[in-house]
Amino acid sequence: MSIVKDNIVTWEKKGEGVSLYKRLLPDTASNNYLGSKIAIYGLAVLLIPLTFRSLVHFLKDDSGVNSIATILTFSGSPDPNTVIYLFSSLWGGQQLLFVFLAAIVLVRYRSLIPLMFSLFIVECFFRVVSGALHGLGPEYYESRPPGSIGTYVFLVYGIVMLYLSLRERRAESSDTGEESA
């Protein structure tokens, strides 16, 4: 049950209130996760495309810039594509660090699941802002890149999963067989 007290939303858990702030940034990281189990599975499912995306950007010879995003290759001397691939590969390395961290949270520190979804939402938001500030027109692409729509799908997914991770898990039943709300 959620309660608003002193303008702070709390969830009642065995007589103790847990603030929204404490759900996002708990005092100690542990496997004591209070949110919906759906968000646990949601984070595991999210790691599949994120791992693929990260590995492609980090390891593929063109960082997926030409082969997946269909950005045209540029000519020049020295080859400007090498610089583009380098920065895309560095970005893939950063994405891979996020995947590693999220996997560790999933296995060992589940109390940080809401924080991981928050960071993922911020990353999606940054991608949208970056696209608006430095967007490439259609003349730069052979076809629409998957990230142009995928970012918005991931953003909505992240918001739903964050909500579920912050929502109090419904107790299945107590030792006396009574259902609790």
Side-chain angles (χ1 to χ4, degrees):
M1 172 172 91
S2 63
I3 300 171
V4 177
K5 183 177 181 181
D6 298 327
N7 293 326
I8 297 175
V9 178
T10 61
W11 283 267
E12 290 293 318
K13 184 74 173 167
K14 296 182 182 176
E16 298 177 16
V18 180
S19 72
L20 182 60
Y21 175 78
K22 292 290 184 188
R23 292 266 179 135
L24 281 172
L25 296 169
D27 290 332
T28 57
S30 68
N31 254 349
N32 184 22
Y33 172 68
L34 303 175
S36 170
K37 285 186 179 183
I38 295 170
I40 296 171
Y41 297 117
L43 184 58
V45 168
L46 179 64
L47 289 181
I48 296 167
L50 292 186
T51 301
F52 174 76
R53 173 186 79 169
S54 304
L55 289 173
V56 166
H57 288 155
F58 186 57
L59 299 175
K60 195 158 174 43
D61 60 343
D62 71 346
S63 300
V65 168
N66 306 122
S67 58
I68 296 175
T70 72
I71 293 177
L72 301 173
T73 54
F74 300 100
S75 59
S77 182
D79 184 5
N81 295 300
T82 304
V83 175
I84 295 167
Y85 302 154
L86 169 67
F87 283 106
S88 184
S89 180
L90 290 170
W91 179 42
Q94 292 297 313
Q95 291 173 329
L96 206 51
L97 286 174
F98 182 86
V99 168
F100 289 150
L101 181 61
I104 290 168
V105 164
L106 194 59
V107 172
R108 182 69 179 93
Y109 300 106
R110 289 186 175 172
S111 64
L112 298 177
I113 288 175
L115 178 63
M116 294 309 298
F117 280 120
S118 297
L119 293 173
F120 179 69
I121 290 167
V122 169
E123 191 252 343
C124 288
F125 178 72
F126 284 170
R127 289 169 55 104
V128 170
V129 170
S130 181
L133 293 175
H134 309 288
L136 300 177
E139 66 273 13
Y140 288 96
Y141 301 101
E142 291 177 22
S143 63
R144 185 174 212 157
S148 66
I149 293 184
T151 297
Y152 294 100
V153 172
F154 279 140
L155 183 60
V156 170
Y157 182 84
I159 291 169
V160 169
M161 289 298 121
L162 175 62
Y163 169 75
L164 291 173
S165 72
L166 293 172
R167 206 176 101 201
E168 180 180 358
R169 185 183 319 162
R170 294 183 181 163
E172 294 170 12
S173 64
S174 65
D175 293 340
T176 61
E178 296 175 20
E179 298 252 339
S180 53

